[in-house]
Every structure is written in C-alpha cells, then in structure tokens.
Amino acid sequence: MLIGALLVAFLLSIFLTPFVGKLAVKLGATDKPNERKVHIKIMPRMGGLAIFLSFFITFLIFTLITNNFLEQLPLLVGALVIILIGMADDIYELRAAPKFLGQILAALIIVLWGGLEVKFINLPFFTDTLHFGIFSIPITILWIVAIINAINLIDGLDGLAGGVSTIALVTIATMALIKHDLFVAMAALIVIGSTLGFLKFNFHPAKIFMGDTGALFLGYIIAVLSLLGYKNVTMVSLIVPIIILGVPISDTFFAIIRRIVNKQPISAADKSHLHHCLLNLGFTHKQTVLLIYALAACFGLAAIIFSFATMWGALILVAGLLLIIEIFVEKIGLVSSNYQPLLKMLNLKNKP
C-alpha cells in the first residue's frame, strides 16, 4: 500500500503540473527576474498547487481506504489554509504580515484541533522531566512556523527546495517505518511522490517554479510529520527532526546572524544564502543544487544514526555536526567574508 500511495501521487503530479503551469500564467502568478534572483526570464510559479493536489487526492483515497480520514482532517484543513496563503502570495505578492498570520492560523488548526503538541521532554543526565506547561502550544506553533519559513528561504534555485524537502521526507519516512508508524510513513511517501513528479518539471532548467504555494506547503507538512511520533520524548529524540532539517535550519539561522552582523532587519531579503554563496564560489547551477542535496542527505543519514546512538554517542555526533557546520559556514562566507573566528583560531582562514 505504501509504494502504491507513492506511485499514485507521483503519476498524478506529472499529469497535473503542466495544467497548473498554464493556470498560473492565466492568473498572473509569474516570477519576474530581478537582482536577487538567478533566473533571467519570466517563469510561471504556483507550481506547488500541483504538489498539493496530488497529495490531497492520494491522501484522500488512502485514508478513506484505511478509515482514518476524519481523524486526519485537521492536517488537511491546515494544509488548505497554507495553500490559499501561498497562492495569494504567488498571485498578488502579499506583505509579510498576512503571510505570517496565515502560517500561525494553519499551525493553530493542527495544534488545537489536531492535538499536535509537544508537552514535555526528558532531559539527558537528569531524572526530572521538563514540562512545558502553558508554553507547549506556543513552542509547537513556533516550530511549525519556523520550518515553514526555513523551507521557503531555501527555495532559490531550480529544484532546490523540492529536492531538499524530498530528502528530509525520505528520512522521516525511514524513521517512521523503523518505529512502525505507518501513518507518518504513508503521508511522507505521498508527499515524496507528489514532489518527485513536480521535480520532473522543476529541476534545472526549470519549466515552472513551486512558488510560495509549494514552499509553504512543504514546510508545513514537513514540520507536522517531523513532530508526529517525536512529541513528549527524550531530548535526544527531539533533536532528530532538527538534524533531519539541518540544511534549511542552518541556512535560516545564519541568515539571521548575517543580518544582525550587517545591522539589517531580520526580514530583509538578500543574495547571500547558502546557494548564493556556492554560486559565487564558481559552482554551476546544477552543481550547487546537487551539492546541497548531498549535504541534506548527510544530515538525513546523521539523523538515522543519531536515533540509534547511545547518549554519549549522540552528544559526540551533535558536537561534530556543529563543528563541521561552523567550519563550512566560515569557508563559504555564509555570514560574511570576514566572519572566520574558528578558522582564524585554527589558522585555516581563507586567503584574500
């Protein structure tokens, strides 16, 4: 059934994407080149609608078969809210405030109606449990909104957000199968099939962009699925979804640091994200995307290893990952060309 769900979603996405592309052009949902973007011609966006429709139809079929459609209705309603916000932004280019409010509304639906809530964690080396109490709902909402925006920020090259999201979802599906959580595995595989079908048209050179419609939806579904099965667990287990999403989370984190260092508003757009830095180093468009895919796959593998490690092994793995991330960030100039504290300390700084 799981492979069948993936194949149905994949075929639906391949079928629907060309029609969504034509609809995007008719509605004026097009992406025009500017100084921050790497494409040089007007492109249809809103392609994420094809991903969502493929997911929705397949999800509907298989949840009806398994008789748990009503149970999963909050997830779909939250996804619908995100899709409407994304479509409105792709057509009308919304301001940040309504987009942010829409994301919070979608998160509230899955948290308050769907019951997705991280209530407590067990801390390593301590016998006590840390209960979040009244902060459990805000923390869960913050996670969902943060991941939505992390995926949105990394959507800067053909096939980049779709591929990174697919790798994260493959990891989530693998972890779910290991834990015998068939619902999360099925949902993840349906989104994987939907995204892979879209990537046929979105990989470089792209014929259509997913737009905010796709990036917001993928961020939402990844945020929700990554929490399902990891709520109310140990600190070690809670770190797993963070590692799975290491690439978009790292890019977002260092984008915030970069803007603070440069005394810019945190919401300010720039052309210094991970993919921009790799392009500036001389990598081609396709090489940059494949390199980031490889990084995402490494994070996914690390997450799986992490879940089986002992407490000390897990801590050593996290420390190693953080060290590697910092060296990589300093090497490519993700914060700024002058930000190299660790490289200077190790006498490995880039030569001018």
Side-chain angles (χ1 to χ4, degrees), residues 285-296:
H285 192 125
K286 188 173 291 187
Q287 287 171 341
T288 297
V289 171
L290 293 175
L291 180 56
I292 297 176
Y293 283 2
L295 290 173

Side-chain angles (χ1 to χ4, degrees), residues 7-17 50 53-55 57-58 61:
L7 289 175
V8 169
F10 175 73
L11 294 174
L12 275 172
S13 185
I14 289 178
F15 174 75
L16 291 171
T17 299
L53 290 175
S54 305
F55 164 79
I57 295 169
T58 309
I61 292 170

Side-chain angles (χ1 to χ4, degrees), residues 20-32 42-47 86-92 208-209 211 213:
V20 169
K22 293 177 182 177
L23 177 63
V25 173
K26 287 184 179 179
L27 293 176
T30 55
D31 203 331
K32 300 174 179 63
I42 296 176
M43 295 285 291
R45 56 187 178 187
M46 205 176 77
M87 289 177 64
D89 187 51
D90 285 337
I91 297 170
Y92 303 111
I208 184 173
F209 294 158
T213 308

Side-chain angles (χ1 to χ4, degrees), residues 302-325:
I304 294 172
I305 295 172
F306 183 91
S307 66
F308 290 102
T310 62
M311 179 65 68
W312 282 107
L315 292 174
I316 292 170
L317 179 61
V318 169
L321 280 174
L322 292 174
L323 180 63
I324 292 169
I325 291 170

Side-chain angles (χ1 to χ4, degrees), residues 66-321:
T66 55
N67 295 317
N68 66 340
F69 171 74
L70 292 178
E71 183 182 340
Q72 306 307 330
L73 195 56
L75 185 150
L76 288 179
V77 174
L80 182 60
V81 169
I82 280 292
I83 284 295
L84 292 175
I85 290 294
M87 289 177 64
D89 187 51
D90 285 337
I91 297 170
Y92 303 111
E93 298 188 1
L94 300 177
R95 293 182 180 273
K99 287 170 61 176
F100 184 66
L101 289 174
Q103 294 166 21
I104 292 177
L105 176 59
L108 282 170
I109 290 170
I110 189 65
V111 170
L112 298 181
W113 183 13
L116 180 66
E117 187 179 344
V118 180
K119 295 181 179 179
F120 64 84
I121 55 172
N122 297 317
L123 299 172
F125 310 117
F126 293 93
T127 56
D128 293 336
T129 297
L130 176 62
H131 290 269
F132 293 126
I134 61 173
F135 297 106
S136 60
I137 290 177
I139 287 172
T140 309
I141 291 172
L142 178 63
W143 167 265
I144 295 171
V145 172
I147 299 306
I148 288 172
N149 285 283
I151 298 297
N152 196 27
L153 282 176
I154 205 171
D155 183 25
L157 295 178
D158 298 353
L160 183 55
V164 169
S165 297
T166 299
I167 292 167
L169 286 161
V170 167
T171 308
I172 291 170
T174 302
M175 299 291 293
L177 288 172
I178 291 171
K179 297 178 64 177
H180 305 290
D181 190 335
L182 294 183
F183 168 74
V184 171
M186 184 185 74
L189 287 170
I190 291 173
V191 185
I192 289 168
S194 302
T195 309
L196 286 176
F198 175 75
L199 279 173
K200 180 181 183 300
F201 304 91
N202 182 237
F203 195 75
H204 186 69
K207 300 179 180 66
I208 184 173
F209 294 158
M210 67 167 60
D212 273 22
T213 308
L216 298 184
F217 168 68
L218 287 175
Y220 166 81
I221 203 73
I222 288 171
V224 171
L225 293 181
S226 65
L227 275 188
L228 285 172
Y230 290 109
K231 54 183 181 175
N232 305 336
V233 290
T234 65
M235 177 68 83
V236 169
S237 297
L238 196 62
I239 292 173
V240 169
I242 298 175
I243 298 177
I244 290 172
L245 296 162
V247 168
I249 288 176
S250 299
D251 192 35
T252 303
F253 174 77
F254 285 104
I256 293 171
I257 299 298
R258 180 172 62 250
R259 286 158 192 170
I260 292 173
V261 169
N262 296 326
K263 297 179 180 179
Q264 296 176 332
I266 291 177
S267 59
D270 60 25
K271 204 170 182 180
S272 300
H273 286 285
L274 173 60
H275 52 280
H276 293 127
C277 292
L278 293 175
L279 288 171
N280 291 336
L281 289 174
F283 291 100
T284 66
H285 192 125
K286 188 173 291 187
Q287 287 171 341
T288 297
V289 171
L290 293 175
L291 180 56
I292 297 176
Y293 283 2
L295 290 173
C298 288
F299 275 108
L301 180 61
I304 294 172
I305 295 172
F306 183 91
S307 66
F308 290 102
T310 62
M311 179 65 68
W312 282 107
L315 292 174
I316 292 170
L317 179 61
V318 169
L321 280 174

